[in-house]
Every structure is written in C-alpha cells, then in structure tokens.
Amino acid sequence: MRKIFVFFIVMSVFLASFAYCKTKTILVLPFGYNGSPKYSYLVEDLPKLIKKELEKKGFSVFPLQDTMALLREQGITELDSSIVKDLTILAGADFGLYGSFTQIGEGFSIDAMVVDPYELGGTRTISISKNSILELMSALSLLAQQVKEAAYHKMVIKDIKVKGNKVLGSDVVLMRLKTTKGSVFDLKTIDEDLKRLYKTGYFDDISADVQDTVDGKIVTFIVKEKPIIGTIEIKGAKNIDKDDILEAMDTKPKGLLNLKVLSSDLEKIRELYKKKGYYNVKISYEVKKISVGRAELILHIQEGKKLYIKKITIKGVKQLDEDDVKDVLALKTRGWFSWLTGSGIFKEELLDRDVAAIEAFYANRGFVDVRVGQPKVEFKKNGIYITFTVVEGPRYKIGNIKFKGNLLVSKKELLNLIKLDDLKKKDKYFDRSVLRKDSEAIRKFYADYGYAFAEVNVDISRKLEQKRVDVIFDIIKRQLVFINRVEVEGNTKTRENVIRRYLAISDGDRFSAKKIDFSKEMLTKLDYFEEVNIETIPTKKEDELDLKVKVKEKSTGFFSAGAGYSSIDKVFFTGKITERNLFGRGYQLSFQGSFGSSSSYYSLSFWNPSLYDGPLGIGTDLYNTEREYDDYTLDRSGGSLRFGYSVGRFSRLYWNFSSEKYKVYDIDEFASDEIKDIEGSNWANSIYGALVRDSTNRNFNPTKGSLNKISLEYSGGILGGDDNFIKFGYEFGYHKSVWWKLIFNVHFQMGWVFENTGEDVPDFERYYLGGLNSVRGYDYRDISCYDSEGNDIGGYKMYFTNWELTFPLKEDIGLIGLVFFDAGNVWDKNEMFDLDLYKSVGFGIRWNSPMGPLRLEYGYPLDDLKDNKGKFEFSVGTFF
C-alpha cells in the first residue's frame, strides 16, 4: 500500500518538474569592465572563469566562441535584458547571463543578471563584493552558486513541514531527512527519506506532498503514527519480578509502539531469563486496541523449566586428571552450595574464556601442541550438557636454554633472572606461564639499564623424539633511552614540587622501569591521590622519552565526630580535624580530642615532612591527657619538637625532644608503694631517636614489603626531671601475597626499659599488654607483672607477636576479612625473656571507611588469666 502511494507521488512530481531536472544550458555573455588598466585582462578572462565555475555546478555553457560569433552576426555592441532574452532564444539556451566588473580601490564588485527568456519578468540580479582581487575565485564560485539558485528557484525547497504527528515532535522526522531547506528538489532523495522514516518503526504510513510556489517548493511529510501504548501487561512471569522486566525494556507506557524497539526488548527479557537459568523461555506479544490511537501491549511469557549445568565433559584427557582440568573452568555444575555461589548457571560468554583456560592449563604443564575445539552445548529436559574436546599432543620437558642478540651481561647472570632453568634442573615439565614471566623479567632488566624499547623474542624448538623443547631468548636492546622531561598533570591543589620530591627519576636521567614503578608506589603511598599513572611519551628523538605523571587528587581534609563504646572507656565521645596536605605543600595539621568515663585526650600536631624540599622533616606536638587507671589517675600535659631525616629510598631517622608536666592523684589505698611515691606533680624530659626502614607498598592494608624500627628513649639524667629511665624498642612487620588474594602478615614488637639513676621506672612507662593493639582477646593491661600483694605493677620487658591471613570480602569498597594468632607476655626487671606466652586466636574485618581505618575483631584467649573470655573489640584508627 505504502509503496503504491509513494510511486504515484514520485511520478506526479516527476512529470510536473521534468523540465527542471534536465541539465540547463546557459549563455554567458561578455561582462563590462570599470577599472584601471591593471586588471583589463579580465575583459577576456572573466567569461572563461565563470564558465568553469558554472560547469562545476552542473550547467552546460554555450560555447564562448559561438557566443562571440552570435554577437557579431546580430551586430550587438550593448546589452540589456531584452537583448539578452532574444540572444538566449537564438542560442537555444535556457538562461542568459551578463553583467559588469567594477574595481573599488583594492577591492571589486560583480553585478550580474540572470535572464529566463520564457518567464514574464524573469530577470534576477546578483551582486557580490570583495575587498581584494585575491578573492576573485571565491567570488566567482559564489556567483555560480547564486546563478544556480536563481535558475532553479522554482525547484529549490523553500520549506519542509511535518503533518500528522501527535506524540513525536517534528524534529524526530526532520533530523532523519537528507532533504534540506535551500537544496534543489530531488525525487530520489525524497524517496530515500520516506524509506528511512518508515524503518524507524514509529509510523504505520508515510507520504510526501509537494507544493509549488513562486519562490520554490514546499515539501510536507505526512505521517501516521503507530498507536500510543496505554499500559503494558505481563502475563506468565513468576520467577522474575515484573518491575525488573519493565525496567529492562525501552518500550514504555505513554510512548509510541515501535516494533523494532519491541523486538530488542523481547531479546533483553530472554537474556534476563537466561541469567536465571531459564533457557527455554518463550515470549510473544499482543497489541490490543483500546481506542483511536491507543493500544494495550500484552507480553505472554512461558518460562519453562529452569535448567542448570548438569554435566561438563572434557573429551581427550589422557595424561592429566580430568577433575584438575575442570577446576580451571569458570562454568561449573550445580552443587550443594550453588544457592550461595551461583554455580550451575550457564553463561555463554564464559565458553571462550574456558577454552583459553584449558589451553593455558595444558601449556603450563608441558603440552606445547595442545588444541581445544569449539565446545558443544546441549539443552536437554533435565539440564545443560557441555562438552569440550581436547587434543593433548606430546608432553615436553625443557631442553637447552640459550640467549642471543644484544647481551649486556653473561649467560650466567641472565639465567639468574629467569625461573625456566630451575624447572630444567628439577626435570620439570615445560611451563608457558614461567616462560612468559621470564621474558618480562629480562625485558624489565634491560629497561632498568635504560633500554626502554628492548624486545625479548622467544623461539621454541621441539625435539619430538626426546620430548624436549629448546628455548632461545632473542634479545634486541635497541637504543639507550634518556628522560627528556618529566611533566606533572592533574594536580589542582598539590604543588608540583611536592610531587617531584617523591619521584626517583628526573630530567636527563637514564630510563629505568624500576625507578618509574618505585615513583608510582611512593606517590600512591602518600594517599593524596585517587589515581597515579606515569606514562612514557615519545619525542622527536629516538633516544629520548618524556614522562607524564598524571594524578587525580582526592580530599585530604578529614573531619569526624561521634560517640562509641570501648572496653576501656565504656561510652566515649570523639572528634578529629586533620589536613594531610595543608596548602598543597604536604604539611600535616591535626587536632583531635576524646573523652570518656575513664579518660580524656586532646592534641594539636604539625608536621612538615620535607623542609625546603630536602631530606629533613620537622614538626611539633602539644597534648593533654587524663586517664583513670585501676589504682590512680594520671594527668599529663606537654609537648615535643620532632625531626626526621631521610636516608636512602626506604629509611628515615627520627628524633625528638619532649617535656611534660604530669600529676598523679586519687591513689587507691591498696596501690603499690611505687605508685604512692610519685603522688603529686612531676616533670619529665626526654629525648627519643629511631631508625625506620619501611618498604611496604601502602600505609593502609599493605600487601607486600616490610617494616623495621629500632628506637631508644632517654629520660631524666642529664636532662633533669623526675623520671629517669632508658627505653629500648624494636618492631618488625612483614607482608606477602601467598596464594589467590591471601596476604600473610607477621608482626612482632619487643621492648626493654632500664632504670637510669637507680630510681624505679614510673608505672605508666612500664609495659602492659592485652587488647586490640597487642594480644587480642585479653583485657587492656591484664598481661602484667604483679607484686607480692597481687597488684599489677607493669613489666620492664615485653614481647608480643601477631600472625594474620587477610582476604578480600568486598574489593570495590576495600572491605577485608582476617584470621589471626597472637602471643605475648611481660617480664619484671629481674626476669628474662622466655617462651611462656599468653596466646589467642580470632577473626575480624577491616575497612578503610570514610572515617578512617576501621577494625572489628574477635579474640579468644587460649590461656587462663583472670576472667578473660572471648570478646569483640572495635576501633577507628591505624594499625600495623
């Protein structure tokens, strides 16, 4: 029906406008010239130039030599519109063109007349002005375009309209048209537009109406829209929520019915069912007319039986265990815990992944020639059956390992870089994954020497009879590369010098992949940035590269306020304001305070980690604390001046001087004599020094690296004050990925406090263990030494250790779980360290929350001590 209608429209328009569609012939007459003799050559050249431009626009130009002959025959020396009409008819042309060229200073103007000899009053004037003779050709091109518009004025589309649309805006039609206002009417383009609009699926019928006017044509596209969807009803959906189905669809109520969109929607619904295991689902639709222009869409769904993967077969497995091969598959059969793990659901996109996984599994076990065919999937009434077919081929061990090409070091040193030779010594099978890692290790080794573009090609030669493969590493070092320039990008707050101080590589340095990786790690560890990337940028020189350090900053200011409960303070309130990158200079400023039923704490701290961008850091602290212990209350107020000095990449030396006034009061009558001796106000002065080597990859939840810290504190003596002691400490932490995403953490800490002048060390400077930050599961300060009356008096020596395995629970938010074993004890000054330790086990979660690192852990004591039993502990703060 639509095609017949379009045919009649096209034919009627074609017949009405045939005369305008054929190629038009134009008679170009000489142009008059008004100007200096400098450009008089245009009298002869102008008609020729105009002829070329008109031909580009599709005109046929009457031969110029015949035009001149015609003028001579008729004895014409001057032109006007009446004479040009007659000449055009005599020449058999459709239009005549004449005019004049006038020089105006450095510019010019062209005044032309287009004469239609067959139209009453058919003369149209064209005027074009330019500021320079250099613009002559652009002026003539514009002249030709305007001549075309004047000649074809009845065929030019004056306007385009849309009728019949009630829901869709006219723009929906107009934006899909190739026909445009001002263009010459073209039947083929109109027909293509009609077809294009019909394919959108929004219309039941489309036609075009063409109206002729004096100034051109008006084209009206008349559309009949598909019905508006009043409601969408879904029948038969039981196992997928109807709202989820409607959300997945692009077809919506109050919108037009579009069968093309609806077809896509039905496929989306099928995919929803497939993800739930309904592979035999059948979906159909019904359009029920409600009223004129409105309809109800009804979806009929036959869900069928839910299908799970019933069996996976791997044919051709002879030399390996089929169950071991199945373990690498992402697709699994349904098991007891499938309701929790989601296994047993068939996902077509995992088929190719599993084919590659099987090939890799074999290749990593010596099967160099293994082939895995396209898997076969069968949907049966009782489930889904998947079959992989494997052609194993022979199994190879490792033969000779050779190196060729540009060798920087000896073969022995290169062998020390790789692991393939270790497999050979142990007579193990060839492993493709080891080969890949070895190639990368060699490439990085060369990159660390400055050969940024080094290539390591591997040639494998099979010896079928010996079942061995020879491996040849072909090394191409290419040119030595230096860093031309290091650029920093993305830092809107952090000053560039702050970023550069943590870069191990700078302008003019030899390229080093290791230094680039280390620089990225150090910037990440700052925790100023969400993302840190270092890109290499080619330069015009082959032996130079630019480095672009791209950072994405994050908020470094922190404010928190809240209340909580702890085993020590019971109910407590806390608040903290911290800026870790003050003024973008890397300064750290912090004020915090907390108070609870048994303690209060206030502090103000400032730290500049790099004075004048050098290795020296400087800072200060002011604090006031008050704590109620079992036998007394301690009030401390003081401050310290801190320094730090970087030594190498990972190490830093710290030292500070502290002075404080403290008061001991509310002493229990049964307290030890040592506590009673320090009742009242006292002064304490001390100096502290520590050497710290920290190679961990990040501050929170590190996954690799170690921490070593040795410290010494000297109080009293030559410094004066009422406290006299010397305290030695050592701390060690180690982090390593062991398997999957499991991280092994081990930590231990020991301390030893000595009397400085023969006086007892104050109670609060002695060692107590127990609680979240030492031996979990035991109450705070319960692991202690006791006097003859059973009072806890603290220890002069202490040791504790923590062993943990951490694993991700929800990686996108940084939530991790852990299990742990703790052990520790304290000893009096007359006792020596021994292995009689209090032990505990437990589990917990950690989360890098918006309020800081959060810990919730449960510890269970393995040894009897007072009334300690298993308990949960909670904190927001830092840990090793």
Side-chain angles (χ1 to χ4, degrees):
M1 177 70 181
R2 187 187 70 86
K3 291 183 177 179
I4 295 172
F5 184 81
V6 171
F7 173 77
F8 281 113
I9 287 290
V10 171
M11 287 303 297
S12 61
V13 173
F14 177 77
L15 293 172
S17 56
F18 174 76
Y20 293 99
C21 293
K22 65 188 182 78
T23 302
K24 304 296 182 181
T25 302
I26 191 163
L27 175 69
V28 178
L29 295 160
F31 273 57
Y33 176 75
N34 303 303
S36 68
K38 181 178 180 181
Y39 301 118
S40 59
Y41 61 87
L42 291 176
V43 174
E44 183 178 348
D45 290 349
L46 206 57
K48 298 177 182 177
L49 296 173
I50 293 173
K51 177 179 181 292
K52 288 182 180 180
E53 294 299 323
L54 288 173
E55 288 174 343
K56 289 179 183 179
K57 300 297 182 182
F59 285 101
S60 173
V61 179
F62 191 75
L64 296 180
Q65 63 271 25
D66 293 344
T67 300
M68 298 308 295
L70 182 62
L71 290 171
R72 287 193 296 270
E73 288 175 5
Q74 300 298 320
I76 304 298
T77 57
E78 292 185 4
L79 297 174
D80 58 28
S81 60
S82 176
I83 294 173
V84 172
K85 269 188 180 183
D86 294 338
L87 291 172
T88 303
I89 294 171
L90 287 172
D94 298 293
F95 301 99
L97 176 67
Y98 73 106
S100 64
F101 176 93
T102 304
Q103 182 185 353
I104 307 172
E106 293 296 321
F108 64 90
S109 70
I110 299 175
D111 299 296
M113 275 68 74
V114 181
V115 178
D116 184 345
Y118 305 104
E119 182 180 351
L120 184 62
T123 300
R124 288 172 174 78
T125 302
I126 300 171
S127 296
I128 297 171
S129 298
K130 294 291 181 179
N131 294 323
S132 171
I133 195 66
L134 297 176
E135 299 179 82
L136 177 63
M137 294 312 299
S138 65
L140 294 180
S141 176
L142 181 59
L143 173 67
Q145 177 62 34
Q146 292 190 17
V147 168
K148 182 176 181 180
E149 293 174 4
Y152 286 87
H153 70 281
K154 288 187 178 180
M155 289 296 290
V156 171
I157 296 175
K158 177 186 176 184
D159 196 10
I160 301 174
K161 297 181 180 180
V162 180
K163 285 186 179 180
N165 55 313
K166 298 176 181 178
V167 177
L168 297 175
S170 297
D171 286 346
V172 175
V173 174
L174 296 173
M175 68 187 296
R176 288 171 167 81
L177 301 178
K178 287 188 176 180
T179 302
T180 58
K181 288 174 63 174
S183 62
V184 176
F185 180 82
D186 183 63
L187 295 173
K188 185 178 179 182
T189 303
I190 295 288
D191 188 50
E192 289 175 353
D193 287 339
L194 291 171
K195 293 175 182 177
R196 193 178 301 105
L197 290 172
Y198 193 78
K199 285 181 180 179
T200 62
Y202 289 117
F203 308 108
D204 276 332
D205 196 11
I206 311 164
S207 59
D209 177 70
V210 182
Q211 180 182 356
D212 289 315
T213 69
V214 175
D215 297 325
K217 295 184 179 293
I218 298 175
V219 180
T220 303
F221 289 89
I222 305 166
V223 299
K224 182 182 178 183
E225 295 172 330
K226 287 189 181 295
I228 298 171
I229 300 170
T231 58
I232 301 176
E233 184 179 355
I234 300 172
K235 293 184 178 181
K238 299 176 181 178
N239 294 288
I240 293 183
D241 192 277
K242 292 180 180 180
D243 289 338
D244 292 337
I245 293 174
L246 289 171
E247 187 177 348
M249 297 173 61
D250 291 323
T251 302
K252 303 292 182 185
K254 298 183 180 179
L256 287 178
L257 176 64
N258 188 322
L259 297 182
K260 186 177 180 181
V261 175
L262 181 59
S263 176
S264 174
D265 287 341
L266 297 183
E267 189 58 37
K268 290 176 183 178
I269 298 171
R270 290 187 187 94
E271 289 300 318
L272 284 179
Y273 273 94
K274 286 180 180 180
K275 289 179 181 178
K276 293 283 188 178
Y278 295 90
Y279 298 97
N280 294 325
V281 63
K282 295 179 180 178
I283 307 171
S284 60
Y285 70 91
E286 176 186 357
V287 179
K288 186 181 291 186
K289 185 177 180 181
I290 300 175
S291 60
V292 178
R294 291 179 65 84
E296 179 185 21
L297 175 63
I298 303 171
L299 300 183
H300 298 281
I301 300 176
Q302 296 178 2
E303 294 180 331
K305 184 181 178 182
K306 192 172 186 177
L307 297 180
Y308 295 98
I309 299 175
K310 185 75 174 177
K311 186 177 182 181
I312 298 177
T313 304
I314 305 179
K315 290 184 177 180
V317 179
K318 299 176 182 177
Q319 302 179 63
L320 298 179
D321 190 306
E322 185 177 352
D323 290 336
D324 291 340
V325 181
K326 288 180 180 179
D327 286 341
V328 304
L329 301 179
L331 294 170
K332 304 287 184 183
T333 55
R334 187 161 176 80
W336 289 102
F337 298 101
S338 292
W339 61 274
L340 181 63
T341 63
S343 62
I345 301 296
F346 174 68
K347 297 178 181 177
E348 189 173 359
E349 64 270 18
L350 294 179
L351 285 173
D352 290 340
R353 179 264 175 206
D354 282 349
V355 167
I358 295 172
E359 288 182 344
F361 183 81
Y362 268 91
N364 295 342
R365 286 156 181 80
F367 296 90
V368 178
D369 303 320
V370 66
R371 295 291 180 269
V372 182
Q374 187 66 28
K376 180 181 178 183
V377 182
E378 298 177 276
F379 296 91
K380 298 183 179 180
K381 290 184 178 180
N382 64 336
I384 303 168
Y385 291 76
I386 303 173
T387 303
F388 295 91
T389 303
V390 176
V391 179
E392 293 179 331
R395 194 174 189 183
Y396 296 89
K397 291 186 177 180
I398 302 168
N400 297 320
I401 301 175
K402 298 180 180 180
F403 301 92
K404 71 175 185 178
N406 310 123
L407 306 186
L408 293 179
V409 294
S410 66
K411 177 182 177 181
K412 183 179 179 181
E413 290 179 88
L414 290 173
L415 286 172
N416 288 334
L417 291 174
I418 66 175
K419 303 295 183 185
L420 211 59
D421 64 319
D422 296 333
L423 296 182
K424 179 183 178 181
K425 291 174 184 176
K426 297 175 183 178
D427 202 31
K428 299 278 187 179
Y429 287 104
F430 174 81
D431 189 326
R432 189 172 66 185
S433 66
V434 173
L435 177 65
R436 186 167 53 250
K437 291 176 183 176
D438 286 350
S439 299
E440 182 62 16
I442 296 172
R443 192 198 65 77
K444 280 193 171 183
F445 177 78
Y446 272 69
D448 287 336
Y449 274 88
Y451 297 97
F453 304 114
E455 294 181 12
V456 180
N457 300 313
V458 178
D459 182 32
I460 297 176
S461 177
R462 299 166 177 79
K463 294 184 177 179
L464 191 56
E465 292 182 1
Q466 295 89 352
K467 297 293 191 295
R468 300 254 175 197
V469 291
D470 291 342
V471 179
I472 301 174
F473 293 95
D474 185 4
I475 305 170
I476 307 171
K477 68 179 182 181
R478 299 196 180 279
Q479 67 273 11
L480 190 64
V481 176
F482 292 85
I483 303 301
N484 174 53
R485 183 173 58 181
V486 179
E487 298 178 350
V488 179
E489 183 180 286
N491 55 316
T492 56
K493 174 185 176 182
T494 306
R495 300 201 176 200
E496 189 169 316
N497 64 297
V498 174
I499 295 173
R500 287 184 179 275
R501 74 171 64 139
Y502 293 97
L503 299 178
I505 194 166
S506 59
D507 299 358
D509 288 354
R510 190 172 65 182
F511 182 91
S512 171
K514 188 179 293 184
K515 288 183 178 180
I516 292 173
D517 291 343
F518 177 75
S519 300
K520 181 178 178 180
E521 192 172 286
M522 292 297 291
L523 288 173
T524 301
K525 196 172 180 179
L526 279 177
D527 202 29
Y528 296 167
F529 312 108
E530 286 184 18
E531 296 177 13
V532 178
N533 291 297
I534 302 180
E535 300 176 357
T536 55
I537 309 297
T539 66
K540 294 181 179 180
K541 296 182 179 180
E542 291 186 356
D543 61 345
E544 287 185 349
L545 283 174
D546 286 342
L547 287 185
K548 181 175 287 187
V549 181
K550 299 175 71 174
V551 298
K552 183 180 180 181
E553 292 185 312
K554 66 179 182 180
S555 176
T556 54
F558 173 76
F559 169 78
S560 68
Y565 178 87
S566 75
S567 56
I568 300 170
D569 294 317
K570 308 307 177 186
V571 177
F572 66 91
F573 300 90
T574 182
K576 185 177 183 180
I577 301 174
T578 302
E579 174 53 66
R580 296 182 292 105
N581 187 15
L582 187 66
F583 309 130
R585 295 177 179 271
Y587 301 157
Q588 299 168 22
L589 181 66
S590 175
F591 173 75
Q592 58 182 319
S594 67
F595 63 92
S597 59
S598 61
S599 69
S600 64
Y601 173 75
Y602 303 96
S603 72
L604 177 65
S605 300
F606 173 80
W607 175 247
N608 177 3
S610 183
L611 188 65
Y612 303 119
D613 290 327
L616 180 65
I618 186 170
T620 186
D621 302 289
L622 297 173
Y623 59 87
N624 173 261
T625 67
E626 184 179 5
R627 177 175 290 282
E628 294 179 11
Y629 293 96
D630 292 339
D631 299 328
Y632 63 95
T633 299
L634 175 66
D635 189 345
R636 310 172 72 171
S637 297
S640 64
L641 185 62
R642 294 186 286 142
F643 299 92
Y645 192 86
S646 296
V647 183
R649 290 187 179 181
F650 301 108
S651 300
R652 191 153 196 171
L653 179 66
Y654 294 93
W655 69 96
N656 65 49
F657 174 78
S658 300
S659 181
E660 71 171 35
K661 181 181 180 181
Y662 67 89
K663 182 180 180 181
V664 180
Y665 59 97
D666 288 344
I667 299 176
D668 190 273
E669 61 177 314
F670 300 107
S672 65
D673 292 337
E674 295 174 351
I675 294 175
K676 294 177 180 178
D677 290 342
I678 59 173
E679 183 177 10
S681 297
N682 302 271
W683 277 96
N685 298 317
S686 66
I687 56 173
Y688 170 87
L691 179 62
V692 180
R693 186 184 188 277
D694 184 359
S695 64
T696 56
N697 61 333
R698 53 183 181 236
N699 292 326
F700 173 71
N701 190 31
T703 58
K704 66 177 182 178
S706 63
L707 170 72
N708 282 273
K709 178 180 179 181
I710 186 169
S711 62
L712 183 67
E713 183 178 3
Y714 179 94
S715 180
I718 61 174
L719 300 177
D722 299 306
D723 295 348
N724 297 275
F725 62 87
I726 300 172
K727 185 179 287 188
F728 166 80
Y730 177 68
E731 183 179 0
F732 171 78
Y734 179 73
H735 313 270
K736 183 176 176 59
S737 175
V738 288
W739 174 74
W740 179 58
K741 297 180 181 179
L742 283 176
I743 305 298
F744 170 67
N745 305 312
V746 61
H747 170 258
F748 71 78
Q749 191 171 336
M750 62 182 299
W752 196 335
V753 62
F754 304 88
E755 295 170 348
N756 192 3
T757 58
E759 298 180 9
D760 289 332
V761 176
D763 173 80
F764 50 84
E765 294 292 353
R766 299 182 191 179
Y767 298 114
Y768 293 85
L769 296 181
L772 196 59
N773 294 313
S774 58
V775 184
R776 290 160 282 194
Y778 296 91
D779 284 340
Y780 176 66
R781 292 172 63 95
D782 269 8
I783 300 177
S784 174
C785 293
Y786 300 88
D787 62 14
S788 58
E789 297 179 1
N791 298 310
D792 54 347
I793 57 173
Y796 278 68
K797 307 175 187 71
M798 74 86 184
Y799 170 84
F800 71 89
T801 184
N802 314 99
W803 298 68
E804 296 180 346
L805 275 177
T806 64
F807 47 88
L809 293 176
K810 192 166 178 53
E811 288 186 87
D812 57 337
I813 64 170
L815 183 67
I816 65 171
L818 72 146
V819 293
F820 63 81
F821 168 80
D822 293 345
N825 205 349
V826 299
W827 295 267
D828 203 355
K829 59 184 174 181
N830 298 319
E831 297 177 319
M832 289 303 296
F833 292 96
D834 58 40
L835 296 178
D836 185 15
L837 306 176
Y838 290 96
K839 300 172 288 297
S840 67
V841 294
F843 60 89
I845 60 171
R846 290 176 183 167
W847 177 38
N848 193 11
S849 74
M851 294 188 66
L854 178 148
R855 301 173 67 182
L856 176 62
E857 297 168 18
Y858 176 84
Y860 182 81
L862 300 178
D863 299 286
D864 292 332
L865 179 63
K866 295 186 177 181
D867 296 325
N868 283 285
K869 295 180 180 179
K871 64 183 207 175
F872 281 98
E873 294 183 276
F874 168 85
S875 78
V876 177
T878 56
F879 47 88
F880 76 89

